[in-house]
Amino acid sequence: MASFKPQQRHLSIQGRSFHFVSYEGKAANSRGPEPAEPPMWYLMVEGHRCPAIPCDPAVTPEDLDAALATWVAGHALGPAAGLDRMGPGDRVPTNVNRRANWWGPG
């Protein structure tokens, strides 16, 4: 049986860099409430990992990059709070907490 080999992918999307790492799955804990986890690709952000998509070793690198880019577009990119509706003379709101998002506490 071949052992799992972690991989890394670095993508640049809309001028931002994204670092993904694959992690081996783990079996469920029969003595506790921890469920089984499949092998997954995780987005690495400031020393933390965020689950992205399942890891399938049969997927080609091009298809993997496309799947990761699709995940980024749906989960990691988006307009800043209210800034997409601003006009040219509007000021940036001062009460916007730019770090309050799924990436973790600011």
Side-chain angles (χ1 to χ4, degrees):
M1 179 178 188
S3 65
F4 183 85
K5 296 191 187 325
Q7 298 177 1
Q8 297 187 38
R9 303 298 294 169
H10 294 271
L11 301 176
S12 180
I13 301 170
Q14 294 185 5
R16 293 179 57 190
S17 296
F18 295 91
H19 177 208
F20 291 91
V21 177
S22 65
Y23 281 87
E24 184 175 20
K26 66 179 186 178
N29 184 351
S30 61
R31 296 182 186 201
E34 297 174 13
E37 294 180 7
M40 294 281 295
W41 281 97
Y42 289 86
L43 173 63
M44 305 306 290
V45 180
E46 297 179 355
H48 299 283
R49 62 183 191 175
C50 305
I53 62 174
C55 181
D56 181 3
V59 174
T60 65
E62 295 80 19
D63 290 341
L64 174 60
D65 287 349
L68 291 172
T70 300
W71 183 87
V72 165
H75 295 88
L77 294 179
L83 297 181
D84 59 332
R85 296 184 298 273
M86 294 180 63
D90 293 337
R91 294 183 54 217
V92 175
T94 57
N95 63 345
V96 174
N97 184 357
R98 287 176 173 50
R99 297 292 296 166
N101 58 33
W102 72 273
W103 298 93

